[in-house]
Amino acid sequence: LNAWDVFVAGLLIITAFLAPFETAFLEPRLDFVFAFDRFTDATFLVDMVMQFFICYPDPMRPSKMVRVHRLIVRNYLTGWFAID
């Protein structure tokens, strides 16, 4: 999961610089930049779906992981979901 997090973080940094540049200086067209943007969108969507299934440390017992799907979903929806 660590490599995935680094990959998504890298895409996020690239998007932070590329999106304003595209908006300001490039004409919309079907080219590599368009394909890269759709690839990035799909990657972020996959990451969001994955978050509904990834265990997280129990706040009361950090050495234990919460594995109950209902609690994982609630934790994500009340946490990072809106930001993602």
Side-chain angles (χ1 to χ4, degrees):
L1 189 64
N2 215 1
W4 175 258
D5 290 336
V6 170
F7 177 66
V8 170
L11 284 179
L12 186 59
I13 291 168
I14 291 169
T15 300
F17 288 101
L18 187 60
F21 177 80
E22 285 180 67
T23 304
F25 301 111
L26 299 180
E27 292 293 325
R29 57 186 157 161
L30 295 173
D31 58 0
F32 174 77
V33 175
F34 178 83
F36 180 77
D37 287 344
R38 298 304 70 82
F39 169 77
T40 303
D41 292 342
T43 302
F44 290 151
L45 181 63
V46 167
D47 184 61
M48 288 180 70
V49 170
M50 284 176 43
Q51 296 304 316
F52 284 105
F53 300 96
I54 296 175
C55 300
Y56 65 94
D58 187 338
M60 299 299 185
R61 297 172 294 170
S63 62
K64 304 287 184 183
M65 299 296 283
V66 174
R67 299 176 190 273
V68 179
H69 188 251
R70 179 179 50 82
L71 296 176
I72 293 170
V73 169
R74 185 173 63 185
N75 182 64
Y76 181 52
L77 288 176
T78 59
W80 283 94
F81 180 76
I83 296 168
D84 285 349

Coordinates of all heavy atoms in Angstrom, one line a residue:
L1 N 0.8 -1.2 0.0 CA 0.0 0.0 0.0 C 0.9 1.3 0.0 O 0.5 2.3 -0.5 CB -0.9 0.0 1.2 CG -2.0 1.0 1.2 CD1 -3.0 0.8 0.1 CD2 -2.8 1.0 2.5
N2 N 2.1 1.2 0.5 CA 2.9 2.3 0.6 C 3.3 2.8 -0.8 O 3.3 4.0 -1.1 CB 4.2 2.0 1.3 CG 4.7 3.1 2.1 OD1 4.1 4.2 2.1 ND2 5.8 2.9 2.8
A3 N 3.6 2.0 -1.7 CA 3.9 2.4 -3.1 C 2.7 3.0 -3.8 O 2.9 4.0 -4.5 CB 4.4 1.2 -3.9
W4 N 1.5 2.5 -3.5 CA 0.3 3.1 -4.1 C 0.1 4.5 -3.5 O -0.2 5.4 -4.3 CB -0.9 2.2 -3.7 CG -2.2 2.8 -4.1 CD1 -3.1 3.5 -3.3 CD2 -2.8 2.9 -5.4 NE1 -4.2 3.9 -4.1 CE2 -4.0 3.5 -5.4 CE3 -2.3 2.4 -6.7 CZ2 -4.8 3.7 -6.5 CZ3 -3.1 2.6 -7.8 CH2 -4.3 3.3 -7.7
D5 N 0.3 4.7 -2.3 CA 0.2 6.1 -1.7 C 1.2 7.1 -2.3 O 0.8 8.2 -2.6 CB 0.4 6.0 -0.2 CG -0.7 5.3 0.6 OD1 -1.8 5.3 0.0 OD2 -0.5 4.8 1.7
V6 N 2.4 6.6 -2.5 CA 3.4 7.5 -3.2 C 3.0 7.8 -4.6 O 3.1 8.9 -5.1 CB 4.8 6.8 -3.1 CG1 5.8 7.6 -4.0 CG2 5.3 6.7 -1.7
F7 N 2.5 6.8 -5.3 CA 2.0 7.0 -6.7 C 0.9 8.0 -6.7 O 0.9 8.9 -7.6 CB 1.6 5.6 -7.3 CG 1.0 5.7 -8.7 CD1 1.8 6.1 -9.7 CD2 -0.3 5.4 -8.9 CE1 1.3 6.2 -11.0 CE2 -0.9 5.5 -10.2 CZ -0.1 5.9 -11.2
V8 N -0.1 7.8 -5.9 CA -1.3 8.8 -5.9 C -0.8 10.2 -5.4 O -1.2 11.2 -6.0 CB -2.4 8.2 -4.9 CG1 -3.5 9.3 -4.7 CG2 -3.0 7.0 -5.5
A9 N 0.1 10.3 -4.5 CA 0.6 11.6 -4.1 C 1.4 12.2 -5.2 O 1.2 13.5 -5.4 CB 1.5 11.4 -2.9
G10 N 2.1 11.5 -6.0 CA 2.8 12.0 -7.2 C 1.8 12.5 -8.2 O 2.0 13.6 -8.7
L11 N 0.8 11.8 -8.4 CA -0.2 12.2 -9.4 C -0.9 13.5 -8.9 O -1.2 14.4 -9.7 CB -1.3 11.2 -9.6 CG -0.9 10.0 -10.5 CD1 -2.0 9.0 -10.7 CD2 -0.5 10.5 -11.9
L12 N -1.1 13.6 -7.6 CA -1.8 14.8 -7.0 C -0.9 16.0 -7.2 O -1.4 17.1 -7.5 CB -2.0 14.5 -5.5 CG -2.8 15.6 -4.8 CD1 -4.2 15.8 -5.4 CD2 -3.0 15.2 -3.3
I13 N 0.4 15.9 -7.0 CA 1.3 17.0 -7.2 C 1.4 17.4 -8.6 O 1.3 18.6 -8.9 CB 2.7 16.6 -6.7 CG1 2.7 16.5 -5.1 CG2 3.8 17.6 -7.1 CD1 4.0 15.8 -4.5
I14 N 1.4 16.4 -9.5 CA 1.4 16.8 -11.0 C 0.2 17.5 -11.3 O 0.2 18.5 -12.1 CB 1.6 15.5 -11.8 CG1 3.0 14.9 -11.6 CG2 1.3 15.7 -13.3 CD1 3.2 13.5 -12.2
T15 N -1.0 17.0 -10.8 CA -2.3 17.6 -11.1 C -2.3 19.0 -10.6 O -2.9 19.9 -11.2 CB -3.4 16.8 -10.5 OG1 -3.3 15.5 -11.1 CG2 -4.8 17.4 -10.8
A16 N -1.8 19.3 -9.4 CA -1.8 20.6 -8.8 C -1.1 21.6 -9.7 O -1.5 22.8 -9.7 CB -1.1 20.6 -7.4
F17 N -0.1 21.2 -10.4 CA 0.6 22.1 -11.3 C 0.1 22.1 -12.8 O 0.0 23.2 -13.4 CB 2.1 21.8 -11.4 CG 2.8 22.1 -10.1 CD1 3.2 21.2 -9.2 CD2 3.2 23.4 -9.8 CE1 3.8 21.5 -8.0 CE2 3.8 23.8 -8.7 CZ 4.1 22.8 -7.7
L18 N -0.3 20.9 -13.2 CA -0.8 20.8 -14.6 C -2.2 21.4 -14.8 O -2.4 22.1 -15.9 CB -0.8 19.3 -15.0 CG -1.0 19.0 -16.5 CD1 0.0 19.7 -17.4 CD2 -1.1 17.5 -16.7
A19 N -3.1 21.2 -13.9 CA -4.5 21.7 -14.1 C -4.5 23.2 -14.3 O -5.2 23.7 -15.3 CB -5.4 21.3 -13.0
P20 N -3.9 24.0 -13.5 CA -4.0 25.5 -13.7 C -3.3 25.9 -15.1 O -3.8 26.8 -15.8 CB -3.2 26.1 -12.6 CG -3.2 25.1 -11.5 CD -3.3 23.7 -12.2
F21 N -2.2 25.2 -15.4 CA -1.5 25.5 -16.7 C -2.4 25.2 -17.9 O -2.5 26.0 -18.8 CB -0.2 24.7 -16.8 CG 0.5 24.9 -18.1 CD1 1.3 26.0 -18.3 CD2 0.4 23.9 -19.1 CE1 1.9 26.2 -19.5 CE2 1.1 24.1 -20.3 CZ 1.8 25.2 -20.5
E22 N -3.1 24.0 -17.8 CA -4.0 23.6 -18.9 C -5.1 24.6 -19.0 O -5.5 25.0 -20.1 CB -4.6 22.2 -18.6 CG -3.7 21.1 -18.8 CD -4.5 19.8 -18.4 OE1 -5.5 19.5 -19.1 OE2 -4.1 19.2 -17.4
T23 N -5.7 25.0 -17.9 CA -6.8 25.9 -17.9 C -6.4 27.3 -18.5 O -7.2 27.9 -19.3 CB -7.4 26.1 -16.5 OG1 -7.7 24.9 -16.0 CG2 -8.6 27.0 -16.5
A24 N -5.2 27.7 -18.2 CA -4.8 29.1 -18.6 C -4.2 29.1 -20.0 O -4.5 30.1 -20.7 CB -3.8 29.6 -17.6
F25 N -3.5 28.1 -20.4 CA -2.8 28.2 -21.7 C -3.1 27.2 -22.8 O -2.7 27.4 -23.9 CB -1.3 28.1 -21.4 CG -0.8 29.1 -20.4 CD1 -0.4 28.8 -19.1 CD2 -0.7 30.5 -20.8 CE1 0.0 29.8 -18.2 CE2 -0.3 31.4 -19.9 CZ 0.1 31.1 -18.6
L26 N -3.8 26.1 -22.5 CA -4.0 25.1 -23.5 C -5.4 25.1 -24.0 O -6.4 25.3 -23.2 CB -3.6 23.7 -23.0 CG -2.2 23.5 -22.5 CD1 -2.0 22.1 -22.0 CD2 -1.2 23.8 -23.7
E27 N -5.6 24.8 -25.3 CA -6.9 24.6 -25.9 C -7.4 23.2 -25.6 O -6.6 22.3 -25.7 CB -6.9 24.9 -27.4 CG -6.6 26.3 -27.8 CD -7.7 27.3 -27.4 OE1 -8.9 26.8 -27.4 OE2 -7.5 28.4 -27.0
P28 N -8.6 23.0 -25.3 CA -9.1 21.6 -25.1 C -9.0 20.8 -26.4 O -9.5 21.2 -27.5 CB -10.6 21.8 -24.7 CG -10.7 23.2 -24.3 CD -9.7 24.0 -25.0
R29 N -8.4 19.6 -26.4 CA -8.3 18.7 -27.5 C -8.0 17.3 -27.0 O -7.5 17.1 -25.9 CB -7.3 19.2 -28.5 CG -5.9 19.4 -28.0 CD -5.1 20.1 -29.1 NE -4.0 20.7 -28.3 CZ -2.8 21.0 -28.8 NH1 -2.6 20.8 -30.1 NH2 -1.9 21.6 -28.1
L30 N -8.2 16.3 -27.9 CA -7.9 15.0 -27.6 C -6.5 14.7 -27.9 O -6.1 14.5 -29.0 CB -8.8 14.0 -28.3 CG -10.3 14.1 -28.0 CD1 -11.1 13.2 -29.0 CD2 -10.6 13.7 -26.6
D31 N -5.6 14.7 -26.9 CA -4.2 14.4 -27.0 C -3.7 13.7 -25.8 O -4.4 13.2 -25.0 CB -3.4 15.7 -27.3 CG -3.6 16.8 -26.2 OD1 -4.3 16.5 -25.2 OD2 -3.0 17.9 -26.3
F32 N -2.4 13.7 -25.7 CA -1.8 13.0 -24.5 C -2.2 13.6 -23.2 O -2.4 12.9 -22.2 CB -0.2 13.0 -24.6 CG 0.4 12.4 -23.4 CD1 0.5 11.0 -23.2 CD2 1.0 13.2 -22.5 CE1 1.1 10.5 -22.1 CE2 1.6 12.7 -21.3 CZ 1.6 11.3 -21.1
V33 N -2.3 14.9 -23.1 CA -2.6 15.6 -21.9 C -4.1 15.2 -21.5 O -4.3 14.9 -20.3 CB -2.5 17.1 -22.0 CG1 -3.0 17.8 -20.8 CG2 -1.1 17.5 -22.3
F34 N -5.0 15.1 -22.4 CA -6.3 14.7 -22.2 C -6.3 13.2 -21.6 O -7.0 12.9 -20.6 CB -7.2 14.8 -23.4 CG -8.6 14.3 -23.2 CD1 -9.6 15.1 -22.7 CD2 -9.0 13.0 -23.6 CE1 -10.9 14.6 -22.5 CE2 -10.2 12.5 -23.4 CZ -11.2 13.4 -22.8
A35 N -5.6 12.3 -22.3 CA -5.5 10.9 -21.9 C -4.9 10.8 -20.5 O -5.4 10.0 -19.6 CB -4.7 10.1 -22.9
F36 N -3.9 11.6 -20.2 CA -3.2 11.6 -18.9 C -4.2 12.1 -17.8 O -4.3 11.5 -16.7 CB -2.0 12.5 -18.9 CG -1.3 12.5 -17.6 CD1 -0.5 11.4 -17.1 CD2 -1.4 13.6 -16.7 CE1 0.1 11.4 -15.9 CE2 -0.8 13.6 -15.5 CZ 0.0 12.5 -15.1
D37 N -5.0 13.1 -18.1 CA -6.0 13.6 -17.2 C -7.0 12.5 -16.9 O -7.5 12.4 -15.7 CB -6.7 14.8 -17.7 CG -5.8 16.1 -17.7 OD1 -4.8 16.1 -17.0 OD2 -6.2 17.1 -18.4
R38 N -7.5 11.8 -17.9 CA -8.5 10.7 -17.6 C -7.9 9.6 -16.9 O -8.6 9.0 -16.0 CB -9.1 10.2 -19.0 CG -9.8 11.2 -19.8 CD -11.0 12.0 -19.2 NE -10.7 12.9 -18.1 CZ -10.3 14.2 -18.3 NH1 -10.2 14.7 -19.5 NH2 -10.1 15.0 -17.3
F39 N -6.6 9.2 -17.1 CA -5.9 8.2 -16.4 C -5.8 8.6 -14.9 O -6.1 7.8 -14.0 CB -4.5 8.0 -17.0 CG -3.7 7.1 -16.1 CD1 -3.8 5.8 -16.0 CD2 -2.7 7.7 -15.3 CE1 -3.0 5.0 -15.2 CE2 -1.9 6.9 -14.5 CZ -2.0 5.6 -14.4
T40 N -5.5 9.9 -14.7 CA -5.4 10.4 -13.3 C -6.8 10.4 -12.6 O -6.8 10.0 -11.5 CB -4.8 11.8 -13.3 OG1 -3.6 11.8 -14.0 CG2 -4.7 12.4 -11.9
D41 N -7.8 10.8 -13.3 CA -9.2 10.8 -12.7 C -9.5 9.3 -12.3 O -10.1 9.1 -11.3 CB -10.2 11.3 -13.7 CG -10.0 12.8 -14.0 OD1 -9.4 13.5 -13.2 OD2 -10.6 13.3 -15.0
A42 N -9.2 8.4 -13.2 CA -9.6 7.0 -12.9 C -8.8 6.5 -11.7 O -9.3 5.7 -10.9 CB -9.3 6.1 -14.2
T43 N -7.5 6.9 -11.6 CA -6.7 6.4 -10.5 C -7.2 7.0 -9.2 O -7.3 6.3 -8.2 CB -5.2 6.9 -10.7 OG1 -4.7 6.4 -11.9 CG2 -4.3 6.5 -9.6
F44 N -7.6 8.3 -9.2 CA -8.2 8.8 -8.0 C -9.5 8.1 -7.6 O -9.8 7.9 -6.4 CB -8.4 10.3 -8.1 CG -7.2 11.1 -8.2 CD1 -7.1 12.3 -8.9 CD2 -6.0 10.7 -7.6 CE1 -6.0 13.1 -9.0 CE2 -4.9 11.5 -7.6 CZ -4.8 12.7 -8.3
L45 N -10.3 7.8 -8.6 CA -11.6 7.0 -8.3 C -11.3 5.7 -7.7 O -11.9 5.3 -6.8 CB -12.4 6.9 -9.6 CG -13.7 6.2 -9.5 CD1 -14.6 7.0 -8.6 CD2 -14.3 6.0 -10.8
V46 N -10.3 5.0 -8.3 CA -9.9 3.6 -7.7 C -9.4 3.8 -6.3 O -9.8 3.0 -5.4 CB -8.8 3.0 -8.6 CG1 -8.2 1.8 -7.9 CG2 -9.4 2.6 -9.9
D47 N -8.7 4.8 -6.0 CA -8.2 5.1 -4.7 C -9.3 5.3 -3.7 O -9.3 4.8 -2.6 CB -7.2 6.3 -4.7 CG -6.6 6.5 -3.3 OD1 -5.9 5.6 -2.8 OD2 -6.9 7.6 -2.7
M48 N -10.3 6.1 -4.1 CA -11.5 6.3 -3.3 C -12.3 5.0 -3.0 O -12.6 4.8 -1.8 CB -12.5 7.3 -3.9 CG -11.9 8.7 -3.9 SD -13.1 9.9 -4.7 CE -14.4 9.9 -3.5
V49 N -12.4 4.2 -4.0 CA -13.1 2.9 -3.8 C -12.3 2.0 -2.8 O -12.9 1.4 -1.9 CB -13.4 2.2 -5.1 CG1 -13.9 0.8 -4.9 CG2 -14.4 3.0 -6.0
M50 N -11.0 2.0 -3.0 CA -10.1 1.2 -2.1 C -10.3 1.6 -0.7 O -10.2 0.8 0.2 CB -8.7 1.3 -2.6 CG -8.4 0.5 -3.8 SD -6.7 0.7 -4.4 CE -5.7 0.7 -2.9
Q51 N -10.4 2.9 -0.4 CA -10.5 3.4 1.0 C -11.7 2.8 1.7 O -11.7 2.8 3.0 CB -10.6 4.9 1.0 CG -9.4 5.6 0.4 CD -8.1 5.2 1.1 OE1 -8.1 5.1 2.4 NE2 -7.1 5.0 0.4
F52 N -12.7 2.4 1.0 CA -13.9 1.7 1.7 C -13.5 0.3 2.2 O -14.4 -0.3 2.9 CB -15.1 1.6 0.7 CG -15.8 3.0 0.5 CD1 -15.6 3.7 -0.6 CD2 -16.6 3.5 1.5 CE1 -16.2 4.9 -0.8 CE2 -17.2 4.7 1.3 CZ -17.1 5.4 0.2
F53 N -12.4 -0.2 1.9 CA -12.0 -1.6 2.3 C -10.7 -1.7 3.0 O -10.3 -2.8 3.4 CB -11.9 -2.5 1.0 CG -13.2 -2.5 0.2 CD1 -13.5 -1.7 -0.8 CD2 -14.2 -3.4 0.6 CE1 -14.7 -1.7 -1.5 CE2 -15.4 -3.4 0.0 CZ -15.7 -2.6 -1.1
I54 N -10.0 -0.6 3.3 CA -8.7 -0.6 3.9 C -8.9 -0.4 5.4 O -9.5 0.5 5.9 CB -7.8 0.5 3.3 CG1 -7.5 0.2 1.9 CG2 -6.5 0.5 4.1 CD1 -6.7 1.2 1.2
C55 N -8.3 -1.4 6.2 CA -8.4 -1.3 7.6 C -7.6 -0.1 8.1 O -6.8 0.4 7.5 CB -7.8 -2.6 8.3 SG -8.6 -4.1 7.8
Y56 N -8.0 0.3 9.3 CA -7.3 1.5 10.0 C -7.0 1.1 11.4 O -7.7 0.3 12.0 CB -8.1 2.8 9.8 CG -9.4 2.8 10.5 CD1 -9.5 3.3 11.8 CD2 -10.6 2.2 10.0 CE1 -10.8 3.3 12.5 CE2 -11.8 2.2 10.6 CZ -11.9 2.7 11.9 OH -13.1 2.7 12.6
P57 N -6.0 1.8 12.0 CA -5.7 1.5 13.4 C -6.9 1.9 14.4 O -7.5 3.0 14.2 CB -4.5 2.4 13.7 CG -4.0 2.8 12.4 CD -5.1 2.8 11.4
D58 N -7.1 1.1 15.3 CA -8.2 1.4 16.3 C -7.7 2.5 17.2 O -6.6 2.5 17.8 CB -8.4 0.1 17.2 CG -9.5 0.3 18.2 OD1 -9.9 1.4 18.5 OD2 -10.1 -0.8 18.6
P59 N -8.5 3.6 17.3 CA -8.0 4.8 18.1 C -7.8 4.4 19.6 O -6.9 5.0 20.3 CB -9.2 5.8 18.0 CG -10.0 5.3 16.9 CD -9.7 3.8 16.7
M60 N -8.5 3.5 20.1 CA -8.4 3.1 21.5 C -7.2 2.1 21.8 O -6.6 2.1 22.8 CB -9.7 2.4 22.1 CG -10.8 3.3 22.0 SD -10.5 4.8 23.0 CE -12.1 5.6 22.9
R61 N -6.9 1.3 20.8 CA -5.8 0.3 20.8 C -5.0 0.4 19.5 O -5.3 -0.4 18.6 CB -6.4 -1.1 21.0 CG -7.1 -1.2 22.4 CD -7.8 -2.6 22.4 NE -8.8 -2.6 21.4 CZ -9.5 -3.6 21.0 NH1 -9.3 -4.8 21.6 NH2 -10.5 -3.6 20.1
P62 N -4.1 1.3 19.4 CA -3.3 1.5 18.2 C -2.6 0.3 17.6 O -2.3 0.2 16.4 CB -2.4 2.6 18.5 CG -2.9 3.3 19.7 CD -3.7 2.3 20.4
S63 N -2.4 -0.7 18.5 CA -1.7 -1.9 18.0 C -2.7 -2.8 17.2 O -2.3 -3.7 16.6 CB -1.1 -2.6 19.1 OG -2.0 -3.1 20.1
K64 N -4.0 -2.6 17.4 CA -5.0 -3.4 16.7 C -5.6 -2.6 15.5 O -5.6 -1.4 15.5 CB -6.2 -3.7 17.7 CG -5.8 -4.4 18.9 CD -5.4 -5.8 18.6 CE -5.1 -6.5 20.0 NZ -4.7 -7.9 19.7
M65 N -6.0 -3.4 14.5 CA -6.6 -2.8 13.3 C -8.1 -3.0 13.3 O -8.6 -4.1 13.7 CB -6.0 -3.4 12.0 CG -4.5 -3.2 11.9 SD -4.1 -1.5 11.7 CE -4.5 -1.2 10.0
V66 N -8.9 -2.0 12.9 CA -10.3 -2.1 12.8 C -10.6 -2.8 11.4 O -10.2 -2.3 10.4 CB -11.0 -0.7 12.8 CG1 -12.5 -0.9 12.5 CG2 -10.8 -0.1 14.1
R67 N -11.3 -4.0 11.5 CA -11.5 -4.8 10.3 C -13.0 -4.9 10.0 O -13.4 -5.6 9.0 CB -10.9 -6.2 10.5 CG -9.4 -6.1 10.7 CD -8.9 -7.5 11.0 NE -7.5 -7.5 11.4 CZ -6.5 -7.5 10.5 NH1 -6.7 -7.5 9.2 NH2 -5.2 -7.4 11.0
V68 N -13.9 -4.3 10.8 CA -15.3 -4.4 10.6 C -15.7 -3.4 9.4 O -15.4 -2.2 9.5 CB -16.1 -4.0 11.9 CG1 -17.6 -4.1 11.6 CG2 -15.7 -5.0 13.0
H69 N -16.2 -4.0 8.3 CA -16.5 -3.2 7.1 C -17.4 -2.0 7.4 O -17.1 -0.9 6.9 CB -17.1 -4.0 6.0 CG -17.2 -3.3 4.7 ND1 -18.3 -2.9 4.2 CD2 -16.2 -2.9 3.9 CE1 -18.1 -2.3 3.1 NE2 -16.8 -2.3 2.8
R70 N -18.4 -2.1 8.2 CA -19.3 -1.0 8.5 C -18.5 0.1 9.2 O -18.7 1.3 8.9 CB -20.4 -1.5 9.4 CG -21.4 -0.5 9.8 CD -22.5 -1.1 10.7 NE -22.0 -1.9 11.8 CZ -21.6 -1.4 13.0 NH1 -21.6 -0.1 13.2 NH2 -21.2 -2.3 13.9
L71 N -17.6 -0.2 10.1 CA -16.8 0.8 10.8 C -15.8 1.5 9.8 O -15.5 2.7 9.9 CB -16.1 0.2 12.0 CG -17.0 -0.3 13.1 CD1 -16.2 -0.9 14.2 CD2 -17.9 0.8 13.6
I72 N -15.2 0.7 8.9 CA -14.3 1.3 8.0 C -15.0 2.3 7.1 O -14.5 3.4 6.8 CB -13.7 0.1 7.1 CG1 -12.8 -0.7 8.0 CG2 -12.9 0.7 6.0 CD1 -12.3 -2.0 7.3
V73 N -16.2 1.9 6.6 CA -17.0 2.8 5.7 C -17.3 4.1 6.5 O -17.2 5.2 6.0 CB -18.2 2.1 5.2 CG1 -19.2 3.1 4.5 CG2 -17.9 1.0 4.2
R74 N -17.8 3.9 7.7 CA -18.2 5.1 8.5 C -17.0 6.0 8.7 O -17.1 7.2 8.7 CB -18.9 4.7 9.8 CG -19.4 5.9 10.6 CD -20.2 5.5 11.8 NE -19.3 4.8 12.7 CZ -19.7 4.2 13.8 NH1 -21.0 4.3 14.1 NH2 -18.9 3.6 14.6
N75 N -15.9 5.4 9.1 CA -14.6 6.2 9.3 C -14.2 7.0 8.1 O -13.9 8.2 8.2 CB -13.5 5.2 9.7 CG -12.2 6.0 10.0 OD1 -12.2 6.7 11.0 ND2 -11.2 5.7 9.3
Y76 N -14.3 6.4 6.9 CA -13.9 7.1 5.7 C -14.9 8.2 5.3 O -14.5 9.3 5.0 CB -13.7 6.1 4.5 CG -13.3 6.7 3.2 CD1 -12.2 7.6 3.2 CD2 -14.0 6.5 2.1 CE1 -11.8 8.1 2.0 CE2 -13.7 7.1 0.9 CZ -12.6 7.9 0.8 OH -12.2 8.5 -0.3
L77 N -16.2 7.8 5.4 CA -17.2 8.8 5.1 C -17.2 10.0 6.0 O -17.5 11.2 5.6 CB -18.6 8.2 5.1 CG -18.9 7.2 4.0 CD1 -20.3 6.6 4.1 CD2 -18.8 7.9 2.6
T78 N -16.9 9.8 7.3 CA -16.8 11.0 8.2 C -15.4 11.6 8.3 O -15.2 12.6 9.0 CB -17.2 10.5 9.6 OG1 -16.4 9.5 10.1 CG2 -18.7 10.0 9.6
G79 N -14.5 11.1 7.5 CA -13.1 11.6 7.5 C -12.7 12.2 6.2 O -13.2 13.3 5.9
W80 N -11.9 11.5 5.5 CA -11.3 12.0 4.2 C -12.2 12.0 3.0 O -11.8 12.6 2.0 CB -10.1 11.2 3.9 CG -8.9 11.6 4.8 CD1 -8.6 11.0 6.0 CD2 -8.0 12.7 4.6 NE1 -7.5 11.7 6.5 CE2 -7.1 12.7 5.7 CE3 -7.9 13.6 3.6 CZ2 -6.1 13.6 5.8 CZ3 -6.9 14.6 3.7 CH2 -6.0 14.6 4.8
F81 N -13.4 11.4 3.1 CA -14.2 11.2 1.9 C -14.5 12.6 1.2 O -14.4 12.7 0.0 CB -15.5 10.5 2.2 CG -16.4 10.3 1.0 CD1 -16.1 9.3 0.1 CD2 -17.5 11.0 0.9 CE1 -16.9 9.1 -1.0 CE2 -18.4 10.9 -0.2 CZ -18.0 9.9 -1.2
A82 N -15.0 13.5 2.0 CA -15.3 14.8 1.4 C -14.1 15.5 0.7 O -14.2 16.1 -0.3 CB -15.9 15.8 2.4
I83 N -13.0 15.4 1.3 CA -11.7 15.9 0.7 C -11.3 15.2 -0.5 O -10.9 15.8 -1.5 CB -10.6 15.9 1.8 CG1 -11.0 16.8 2.9 CG2 -9.3 16.4 1.1 CD1 -10.1 16.7 4.1
D84 N -11.4 13.9 -0.5 CA -11.1 13.1 -1.7 C -12.0 13.4 -2.8 O -11.7 13.5 -3.9 CB -11.1 11.6 -1.4 CG -9.9 11.1 -0.6 OD1 -9.0 11.9 -0.4 OD2 -10.0 10.0 -0.1

